[in-house]
Amino acid sequence: TMQNLAIALEILGTRTAGPEGAALLGQAVDRFRAALRVRTEADDPVRWAMTTQNLASVLYEQGTRTAGAEGTALFAEAMESYRAALRVRTEADHPVQWGETKANLAILEEARAAHDTCPDPRLHYKAAVTHVEAALTVFDPEHMPLHHRNETKRLERLRARLEQCADEEK
């Protein structure tokens, strides 16, 4: 129930601007954390990883809406949650979910590159490229054409941003 409530609050929060949306996202974080008190990695690893991934998604959303050090801290917390989910969502055991988490890590790195506290976006763009390239190893065009197309476009955009950073440095 907490997981489902958190998802509903996340959807409402992402669709709502300003302080009201931020409050809804905060409630979603609280509900995901409540769910994780029951959905433990030891007792229910697959659901735990899904909930942990969902928590990371909300923390990412909060980070995109929050300037300064607080936004950076939210991104770091999201990164930690995505990486935790990868303990269960391995390429060998859950390749599609692993690819989705890698794609989400790329999205997070791209947001970190654009954040007002980022001194050198190239590091984050490079990390994002690495995550997308990994995701594309499981998102093949024959079996997962939509995922493959989306991540291929993301990869092209990230590479273009890296080139732009290099041009700006010259």
Side-chain angles (χ1 to χ4, degrees), residues 100-165:
E100 289 170 346
T101 302
K102 296 298 273 184
N104 284 332
L105 280 163
I107 292 167
L108 174 61
E109 289 290 2
E110 191 171 5
R112 290 174 77 184
H115 196 259
D116 66 348
T117 60
C118 181
D120 186 0
R122 291 174 299 177
L123 300 174
H124 296 294
Y125 288 138
K126 287 177 184 177
V129 164
T130 300
H131 291 304
V132 172
E133 288 173 342
L136 284 169
T137 65
V138 295
F139 295 160
D140 68 274
E142 182 182 348
H143 297 99
M144 301 190 73
L146 179 62
H147 284 74
H148 185 270
R149 185 172 47 255
N150 289 342
E151 295 314 311
T152 299
K153 287 179 184 177
R154 186 181 329 281
L155 185 59
E156 290 169 1
R157 184 178 66 247
L158 290 166
R159 287 179 174 158
R161 289 196 173 139
L162 274 169
E163 286 180 30
Q164 181 182 13
C165 287

Side-chain angles (χ1 to χ4, degrees), residues 22-41:
L24 290 164
L25 292 172
Q27 290 175 36
V29 166
D30 292 342
R31 296 322 181 279
F32 281 128
R33 288 191 171 136
L36 287 169
R37 289 197 301 268
V38 176
R39 284 187 173 176
T40 65
E41 184 175 7

Side-chain angles (χ1 to χ4, degrees), residues 19-136:
E20 185 180 348
L24 290 164
L25 292 172
Q27 290 175 36
V29 166
D30 292 342
R31 296 322 181 279
F32 281 128
R33 288 191 171 136
L36 287 169
R37 289 197 301 268
V38 176
R39 284 187 173 176
T40 65
E41 184 175 7
D43 293 335
D44 194 351
V46 172
R47 288 186 181 174
W48 170 85
M50 178 182 64
T51 302
T52 300
Q53 164 102 359
N54 290 339
L55 171 61
S57 176
V58 178
L59 292 166
Y60 152 79
E61 183 65 33
Q62 286 181 310
T64 64
R65 295 174 176 218
T66 308
E70 187 179 345
T72 300
L74 289 163
F75 285 148
E77 206 174 338
M79 178 71 68
E80 184 179 315
S81 291
Y82 282 133
R83 287 183 176 153
L86 287 173
R87 291 196 304 259
V88 173
R89 292 178 153 205
T90 64
E91 184 177 12
D93 293 334
H94 304 281
V96 172
Q97 291 80 11
W98 176 83
E100 289 170 346
T101 302
K102 296 298 273 184
N104 284 332
L105 280 163
I107 292 167
L108 174 61
E109 289 290 2
E110 191 171 5
R112 290 174 77 184
H115 196 259
D116 66 348
T117 60
C118 181
D120 186 0
R122 291 174 299 177
L123 300 174
H124 296 294
Y125 288 138
K126 287 177 184 177
V129 164
T130 300
H131 291 304
V132 172
E133 288 173 342
L136 284 169

